[in-house]
């Protein structure tokens, strides 16, 4: 397992899948070990995937300063990885909460990013609001599923500000295109792969400045792909279209039948889309 040193001396790990030109992958969660990404459905057959374990997750060390878990401070870790790999520029893939980090990195170092792929991205860094009505609209696409009733009831409670651990577990099927054995196992592994302390700091006050980030992204002229899942409750299509519109050179793709982890729902379609974009 390769490692490198962050600028504050924290030892960070990354995992390499495949061969060829590297693409740096930033995991979501927030602060979930990169293990959940797997090899992105087989994308590693087309590009070398460099999966970063963010500090305090996976095989990376816990930092001395817990405040360094904040998203804007993680930008330096991404740049330290670039330097370690001796890349002048890099292609960047950000999934879910990892897309916030990718957006902040592009905002700070646009000249160091070639192609940018955002997969079912979180919108916190750019301030795109996702309303309860939009989530309900997305959820109702699944109303023919046997689990829909209890899941939708839990969703209504969460939207009303009455979230509990049990209710979050109840809405889990909304995040997958198929709520099958593989999806259940993927979900069950999430808690052990996530650093809860780090996740609480990730979006702390000062982490995001959406107006500044929007201005920076509007100046980023390199190719961008934003991929949404048709039935993804976490990153609904309407919000994803708005996010894509913040870039001057973005391709917006909706993967049919996909949830928040589109490489699990239809690996062939997902890989074809991302590989064609990355080249």
């Amino acid at each position: 397992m390769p490692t490198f040193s962050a600028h504050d001396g924290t030892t960070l790990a990354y995992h390499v899948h495949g061969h060829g030109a590297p693409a740096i992958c930033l995991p979501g969660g927030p602060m979930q070990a990169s293990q959940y990404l797997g090899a992105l459905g087989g994308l590693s057959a087309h590009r070398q995937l460099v999966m970063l374990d963010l500090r305090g997750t996976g095989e990376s060390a816990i930092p001395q300063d817990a405040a360094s878990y904040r998203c804007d401070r993680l930008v330096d870790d991404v740049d330290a990885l670039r330097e370690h790999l001796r890349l002048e520029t890099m292609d960047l893939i950000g999934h879910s909460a990892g897309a916030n980090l990718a957006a902040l990195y592009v905002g700070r170092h646009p000249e160091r990013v070639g192609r940018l792929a955002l997969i079912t991205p979180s919108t916190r860094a750019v301030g795109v609001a996702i309303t309860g009505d939009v989530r309900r609209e997305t959820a109702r696409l699944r109303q023919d599923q046997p689990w829909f009733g209890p899941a939708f009831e839990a969703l209504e409670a969460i939207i009303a500000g009455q979230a509990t651990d049990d209710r979050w577990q109840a809405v889990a099927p909304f995040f997958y295109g198929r709520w099958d054995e593989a999806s259940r196992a993927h979900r069950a592994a999430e808690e052990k792969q996530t650093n809860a302390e780090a996740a609480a700091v990730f979006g702390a006050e000062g982490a995001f400045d959406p107006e500044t980030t929007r201005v920076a992204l509007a100046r980023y002229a390199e190719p961008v792909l934003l991929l949404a899942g048709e039935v993804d409750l976490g990153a609904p299509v309407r919000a994803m279209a708005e996010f894509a519109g913040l870039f001057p050179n973005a391709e917006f793709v909706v993967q049919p039948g996909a949830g928040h982890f589109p490489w699990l729902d239809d690996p062939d379609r997902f890989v074809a889309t991302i590989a064609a974009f990355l080249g």
Side-chain angles (χ1 to χ4, degrees):
M1 178 198 62
T3 63
F4 65 101
S5 180
H7 296 304
D8 66 353
T10 303
T11 299
L12 303 180
Y14 60 97
H15 307 266
V16 178
H17 302 273
H19 303 279
I24 311 304
C25 303
L26 305 179
M31 305 308 288
Q32 185 173 355
S34 65
Q35 179 184 356
Y36 83 95
L37 295 169
L40 287 177
L43 185 60
S44 56
H46 301 267
R47 293 288 297 268
Q48 183 183 81
L49 303 181
V50 179
M51 309 284 197
L52 175 62
D53 278 344
L54 300 174
R55 55 179 54 217
T57 73
E59 303 297 330
S60 288
I62 295 174
Q64 291 187 346
D65 180 9
S68 67
Y69 290 133
R70 208 173 72 174
C71 186
D72 59 319
R73 296 185 63 177
L74 297 176
V75 170
D76 289 338
D77 290 350
V78 178
D79 205 49
L81 174 59
R82 180 194 62 81
E83 292 176 348
H84 169 75
L85 297 174
R86 299 181 180 180
L87 299 173
E88 289 192 15
T89 62
M90 60 184 173
D91 291 340
L92 203 55
I93 300 173
H95 173 248
S96 190
N100 293 311
L101 178 53
L104 294 189
Y105 187 89
V106 169
R108 196 178 302 176
H109 303 295
E111 75 286 354
R112 298 176 187 173
V113 180
R115 290 177 176 263
L116 172 67
L118 302 177
I119 312 303
T120 59
S122 166
T123 62
R124 294 184 69 184
V126 295
V128 172
I130 304 176
T131 66
D133 285 342
V134 169
R135 295 200 195 277
R136 290 186 189 96
E137 176 185 296
T138 304
R140 288 191 181 104
L141 297 173
R142 318 296 297 283
Q143 59 188 354
D144 61 339
Q145 297 297 314
W147 45 260
F148 177 80
F152 193 78
E153 182 179 349
L155 174 63
E156 288 283 26
I158 291 170
I159 291 173
Q162 300 166 7
T164 64
D165 289 343
D166 287 345
R167 284 170 175 155
W168 278 117
Q169 183 56 40
V171 300
F174 283 125
F175 291 84
Y176 294 86
R178 293 182 306 276
W179 189 234
D180 55 14
E181 184 176 345
S183 296
R184 290 185 179 92
H186 190 264
R187 173 69 178 191
E190 182 177 316
E191 183 176 354
K192 290 184 178 179
Q193 294 171 354
T194 301
N195 181 330
E197 178 190 5
V201 177
F202 180 83
E205 184 177 357
F208 304 123
D209 181 353
E211 184 175 349
T212 299
T213 300
R214 282 172 174 251
V215 170
L217 298 185
R219 295 172 178 163
Y220 179 68
E222 299 301 320
V224 176
L225 172 68
L226 196 151
L227 188 145
E230 179 186 20
V231 298
D232 181 12
L233 186 71
V237 169
R238 191 186 304 183
M240 296 298 95
E242 183 178 345
F243 195 166
L246 300 178
F247 297 94
N249 187 21
E251 176 185 359
F252 178 51
V253 175
V254 178
Q255 183 171 313
H260 201 58
F261 310 94
W263 63 91
L264 297 178
D265 299 319
D266 188 342
D268 291 344
R269 183 185 287 268
F270 174 82
V271 169
T273 300
I274 305 300
F277 169 73
L278 293 177

